[in-house]
């Protein structure tokens, strides 16, 4: 894939899972540059006028993807929603989304510095410096970003509290994570997921689904706005109106 927006190979190590953002067992972090590119592609289609958009990750896991996008693009976002069926993962997602506030990042930095002093581990001090850099970045981009995390079934989602413009999610696809009680639609839950999400989204919203596969299959009759493939991941962008049953 030719990158259209994230064209520079920037150092995103501060956003790596397990550095400042917390990781969850069985919920791997998402490639930061790919998250950057996919969000910008979806936002350009959902809000071509450049207005701030609301983002939803309905399979959020540890919240790494949603939090990363929030820290990268504070100025393009008005609100973030993260939902998941796994209560253990959701607890970590809430702690990660708290990093979208000055208070959350300050608390994380203090905790890392305290651990560095208590255990004599220079790596903890380096992670504390990363938290300070992220705080400066968030402050320069507009400050605290409203975000919410709650339990949610991606196949029977509750309508979001606010209209959502962009859905960006990395789905289980034979990797470390698994679907919970996924309904089958032709043997592939992706179609069921798209139709369920589209039913609670504005018609002009853009749904971006990624997976560790060669190609994210779409149900018959659903057209892709764009397809992307990088390494072992593929992504598809679909207009909510086109995914409705």
């Amino acid at each position: 894939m030719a990158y259209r927006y994230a064209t520079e190979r920037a150092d995103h190590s501060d956003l790596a899972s397990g550095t400042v953002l917390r990781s969850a067992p069985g919920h791997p972090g998402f490639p930061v540059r790919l998250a950057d590119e996919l969000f910008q592609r979806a936002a350009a289609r959902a809000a071509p006028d450049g207005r701030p958009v609301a983002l939803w990750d309905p399979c959020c896991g540890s919240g790494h993807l949603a939090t990363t996008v929030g820290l990268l693009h504070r100025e393009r976002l008005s609100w973030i929603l993260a939902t998941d069926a796994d209560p253990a993962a959701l607890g970590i997602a809430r702690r990660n989304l708290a990093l979208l506030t000055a208070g959350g990042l300050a608390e994380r930095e203090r905790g890392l510095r305290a651990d560095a002093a208590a255990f004599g581990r220079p790596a903890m001090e380096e992670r504390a410096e990363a938290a300070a850099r992220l705080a400066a970045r968030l402050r320069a981009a507009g400050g605290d970003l409203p975000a919410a995390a709650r339990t949610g079934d991606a196949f029977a989602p509750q309508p979001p509290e606010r209209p959502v413009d962009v859905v960006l999610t990395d789905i289980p696809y034979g990797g470390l994570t698994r679907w919970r009680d996924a309904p089958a639609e032709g043997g592939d839950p992706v179609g069921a997921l798209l139709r369920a999400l589209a039913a609670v989204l504005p018609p002009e919203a853009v749904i971006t689904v990624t997976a560790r596969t060669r190609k994210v299959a779409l149900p018959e009759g659903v057209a892709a706005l764009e397809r992307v493939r990088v390494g072992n991941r593929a992504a598809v962008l679909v207009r909510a109106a086109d995914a409705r049953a």
Side-chain angles (χ1 to χ4, degrees), residues 3-79:
Y3 282 86
R4 188 183 306 157
Y5 296 96
T7 54
E8 297 182 6
R9 292 184 175 274
D11 180 5
H12 291 309
S13 55
D14 290 353
L15 292 167
S17 182
T19 301
V20 178
L21 278 68
R22 296 168 173 89
S23 59
H27 293 274
F30 193 84
V32 175
R33 189 182 181 198
L34 182 55
D36 186 1
E37 177 72 18
L38 291 175
F39 170 74
Q40 292 194 74
R41 288 190 183 211
R45 288 184 175 275
D49 57 357
R51 63 177 172 79
V53 299
L55 172 70
W56 178 21
D57 183 350
C59 308
C60 72
S62 69
H64 178 263
L65 176 55
T67 306
T68 293
V69 171
L71 290 167
L72 283 173
H73 293 289
R74 168 64 186 95
E75 70 286 350
R76 288 298 314 275
L77 287 157
S78 60
W79 179 60

Side-chain angles (χ1 to χ4, degrees), residues 59 154-155 169-174 177-182 188-190 193:
C59 308
F155 296 102
T169 195
D170 188 41
I171 63 171
Y173 214 101
T177 49
R178 293 289 185 273
W179 290 111
R180 288 190 171 197
D181 302 322
D188 186 348
V190 174
L193 174 71

Side-chain angles (χ1 to χ4, degrees), residues 144-241:
D144 293 2
L145 174 59
R150 57 175 170 77
T151 302
D153 181 349
F155 296 102
Q158 295 297 314
E161 302 92 295
R162 310 181 193 181
V164 166
D165 305 287
V166 172
V167 169
L168 177 56
T169 195
D170 188 41
I171 63 171
Y173 214 101
L176 294 176
T177 49
R178 293 289 185 273
W179 290 111
R180 288 190 171 197
D181 302 322
E185 182 169 306
D188 186 348
V190 174
L193 174 71
L194 286 172
R195 297 195 193 285
L197 295 174
V200 298
L201 290 168
E204 66 275 10
V206 174
I207 305 170
T208 304
V209 175
T210 79
R212 294 192 181 197
T213 182
R214 293 181 60 85
K215 183 178 181 180
V216 179
L218 292 177
E220 185 176 355
V222 176
L225 293 171
E226 295 185 52
R227 286 189 177 276
V228 171
R229 187 177 171 207
V230 176
N232 65 352
R233 271 190 169 89
V236 64
L237 282 70
V238 176
R239 187 79 65 184

